[in-house]
Coordinates of all heavy atoms in Angstrom, one line a residue:
R13 N -14.6 -2.4 -15.3 CA -15.0 -3.7 -15.6 C -16.4 -3.7 -16.3 O -17.1 -2.7 -16.3 CB -15.1 -4.6 -14.4 CG -16.1 -4.1 -13.4 CD -16.3 -5.1 -12.2 NE -17.2 -4.6 -11.2 CZ -18.5 -4.7 -11.3 NH1 -19.1 -5.3 -12.3 NH2 -19.3 -4.2 -10.4
R14 N -16.7 -4.9 -16.9 CA -18.1 -5.1 -17.5 C -19.1 -5.3 -16.4 O -18.7 -5.8 -15.3 CB -18.1 -6.3 -18.4 CG -17.2 -6.1 -19.6 CD -17.0 -7.5 -20.3 NE -18.2 -8.0 -20.9 CZ -18.6 -7.8 -22.1 NH1 -17.9 -7.0 -22.8 NH2 -19.7 -8.4 -22.6
A126 N -21.2 -14.3 -21.9 CA -20.0 -13.7 -21.2 C -20.4 -12.9 -20.0 O -19.6 -12.8 -19.0 CB -19.2 -12.9 -22.2
D127 N -21.6 -12.4 -20.0 CA -22.0 -11.5 -18.9 C -22.9 -12.2 -17.8 O -23.0 -11.6 -16.7 CB -22.7 -10.3 -19.4 CG -21.9 -9.5 -20.4 OD1 -20.7 -9.3 -20.0 OD2 -22.3 -9.0 -21.4
E196 N -17.1 -12.9 -8.6 CA -17.3 -12.7 -10.1 C -16.9 -11.3 -10.6 O -16.5 -11.2 -11.7 CB -18.8 -13.0 -10.4 CG -19.2 -14.5 -10.3 CD -18.6 -15.3 -11.5 OE1 -18.2 -14.8 -12.5 OE2 -18.7 -16.6 -11.3
L198 N -14.4 -9.9 -9.7 CA -12.9 -9.9 -9.7 C -12.4 -10.7 -10.9 O -11.2 -10.7 -11.1 CB -12.3 -10.4 -8.4 CG -12.5 -9.4 -7.2 CD1 -12.1 -10.2 -5.9 CD2 -11.8 -8.2 -7.4
R199 N -13.3 -11.3 -11.6 CA -12.8 -12.2 -12.7 C -12.0 -11.4 -13.7 O -12.4 -10.3 -14.1 CB -13.9 -12.9 -13.4 CG -14.5 -14.1 -12.7 CD -15.6 -14.7 -13.5 NE -15.0 -15.5 -14.6 CZ -14.9 -16.8 -14.5 NH1 -15.3 -17.5 -13.5 NH2 -14.3 -17.4 -15.5
R200 N -10.9 -12.0 -14.1 CA -10.0 -11.2 -15.0 C -10.7 -10.8 -16.3 O -10.6 -9.7 -16.8 CB -8.8 -12.1 -15.4 CG -7.8 -11.5 -16.4 CD -6.6 -12.4 -16.6 NE -6.9 -13.8 -16.9 CZ -7.5 -14.3 -18.0 NH1 -7.8 -13.5 -19.0 NH2 -7.7 -15.6 -18.1
D201 N -11.4 -11.7 -17.0 CA -12.0 -11.4 -18.3 C -13.1 -10.4 -18.2 O -13.6 -9.9 -19.2 CB -12.5 -12.7 -19.0 CG -13.4 -13.5 -18.1 OD1 -13.8 -13.1 -17.0 OD2 -13.8 -14.7 -18.5
R202 N -13.5 -10.0 -17.0 CA -14.5 -8.9 -16.8 C -13.9 -7.6 -16.6 O -14.5 -6.5 -16.8 CB -15.4 -9.3 -15.6 CG -16.8 -9.1 -15.8 CD -17.7 -9.8 -14.9 NE -18.4 -10.8 -15.5 CZ -18.6 -12.0 -15.1 NH1 -18.1 -12.4 -14.0 NH2 -19.3 -12.9 -15.8
R203 N -12.6 -7.6 -16.3 CA -12.0 -6.3 -15.8 C -11.1 -5.8 -16.9 O -9.8 -5.9 -16.9 CB -11.1 -6.6 -14.6 CG -12.0 -7.2 -13.5 CD -11.2 -7.6 -12.3 NE -11.0 -6.5 -11.4 CZ -10.0 -6.5 -10.5 NH1 -9.2 -7.5 -10.4 NH2 -9.9 -5.5 -9.6
H204 N -11.7 -5.2 -18.0 CA -10.9 -4.7 -19.1 C -10.0 -3.6 -18.7 O -9.0 -3.4 -19.4 CB -11.9 -4.3 -20.3 CG -12.9 -3.3 -19.9 ND1 -12.7 -2.0 -19.7 CD2 -14.2 -3.5 -19.5 CE1 -13.8 -1.4 -19.4 NE2 -14.8 -2.3 -19.2
M206 N -7.9 -3.6 -16.6 CA -6.7 -4.2 -16.1 C -5.5 -4.0 -17.1 O -4.4 -3.9 -16.7 CB -6.9 -5.7 -15.8 CG -5.9 -6.3 -14.8 SD -5.7 -5.4 -13.3 CE -6.8 -6.2 -12.2
F207 N -5.9 -3.9 -18.4 CA -4.8 -3.8 -19.4 C -4.1 -2.5 -19.1 O -2.9 -2.4 -19.1 CB -5.5 -3.8 -20.8 CG -5.9 -5.1 -21.3 CD1 -7.1 -5.6 -21.1 CD2 -4.9 -6.0 -21.9 CE1 -7.5 -6.9 -21.5 CE2 -5.3 -7.2 -22.3 CZ -6.6 -7.7 -22.1

Side-chain angles (χ1 to χ4, degrees):
R13 64 169 175 86
R14 294 163 69 87
D127 297 320
E196 289 285 347
L198 291 172
R199 283 183 75 103
R200 175 177 48 73
D201 51 8
R202 224 164 244 132
R203 305 173 85 198
H204 52 81
M206 200 53 95
F207 284 94

